[in-house]
Amino acid sequence: TGYYEFNEDVEAFDSSLTKKFADDLSYGKYGLAATTVGDWAVFAGGNAYSSISGGAGVEAYNSSLTKTTAESLSNTTVCWPGATTIADHKYPFALFAGGGIDSSSSTSVSYKVDCYSASLTKFTVADLSHKRKKLAAETIGEYALFAGGEYIDSDHDTNELDSVEVYTYYQTKQSDLQLSWGRSQ
């Protein structure tokens, strides 16, 4: 059919860089996001080219490489979300923001932000100001930053964003910052 196939294998490396294999992801994916929270490596979103459908699934692996699933992301068509972890001294939270599918539709990009605790309990926090996919995410101190990305406007054009959205440990959204120019991926 002309579609690519993606591998669902999960490979892990211990502190001696010895390769180990874990249970497979539910299907081969592209455009998924990953971060850690507590004892979990968490993988969320991603599409399978064979179906061109967005995946909202969340799969996690602990240090024993035991796989579990968590509640799905809020947006059901998530590919290329941003992911990072934020914590105070005691409680970490994984945040997955934005995402979307390859489409010329302005509804194919999300502004949702989902937060997962170290027990993989999901709750939502304040939405992003702009729908965005292919964004960068990172944590600096007590701040989680979601920068750049792209969205589809009502004329079906792709636009790159120059804004940075900031969340605190308390999942409070702060004022936007600006990048020098719009960028994605």
Side-chain angles (χ1 to χ4, degrees):
T1 61
Y3 296 119
Y4 299 97
E5 293 297 324
F6 291 91
N7 195 316
E8 65 276 349
D9 292 348
V10 175
E11 299 174 13
F13 296 86
D14 65 19
S15 60
S16 300
L17 299 181
T18 303
K19 186 183 341 184
K20 301 182 183 256
F21 292 91
D23 289 338
D24 293 344
L25 292 170
S26 56
Y27 57 89
K29 305 175 184 189
Y30 78 96
L32 69 160
T35 192
T36 59
V37 63
D39 292 330
W40 298 98
V42 186
F43 300 89
N47 284 357
Y49 260 125
S50 60
S51 66
I52 309 295
S53 62
V58 177
E59 299 173 85
Y61 295 83
N62 65 15
S63 58
S64 300
L65 301 181
T66 302
K67 176 181 156 184
T68 191
T69 57
E71 185 178 344
S72 294
L73 297 172
S74 296
N75 182 10
T76 59
T77 57
V78 177
C79 193
W80 302 293
T84 192
T85 300
I86 193 168
D88 71 356
H89 300 289
K90 198 171 182 181
Y91 301 106
F93 293 99
L95 292 115
F96 292 90
I101 59 173
D102 278 334
S103 172
S104 61
S105 168
S106 61
T107 61
S108 69
V109 181
S110 177
Y111 53 85
K112 294 290 184 189
V113 180
D114 291 311
C115 187
Y116 292 84
S117 69
S119 63
L120 301 179
T121 301
K122 177 187 132 183
F123 52 97
T124 56
V125 296
D127 292 338
L128 297 169
S129 299
H130 303 282
K131 292 181 176 186
R132 57 182 82 210
K133 66 179 179 181
K134 299 182 181 178
L135 60 154
E138 190 55 80
T139 299
I140 300 175
E142 63 183 49
Y143 301 103
L145 288 80
F146 297 100
E150 62 185 46
Y151 70 98
I152 310 297
D153 66 21
S154 59
D155 293 329
H156 308 291
D157 294 325
T158 299
N159 296 278
E160 292 184 324
L161 293 160
D162 64 358
S163 60
V164 179
E165 303 196 41
V166 181
Y167 288 76
T168 69
Y169 165 74
Y170 300 102
Q171 297 88 41
T172 303
K173 188 172 156 191
Q174 303 293 309
S175 301
D176 288 349
L177 302 172
Q178 295 299 122
L179 300 170
S180 303
W181 64 87
R183 59 190 88 179
S184 66
Q185 300 190 38

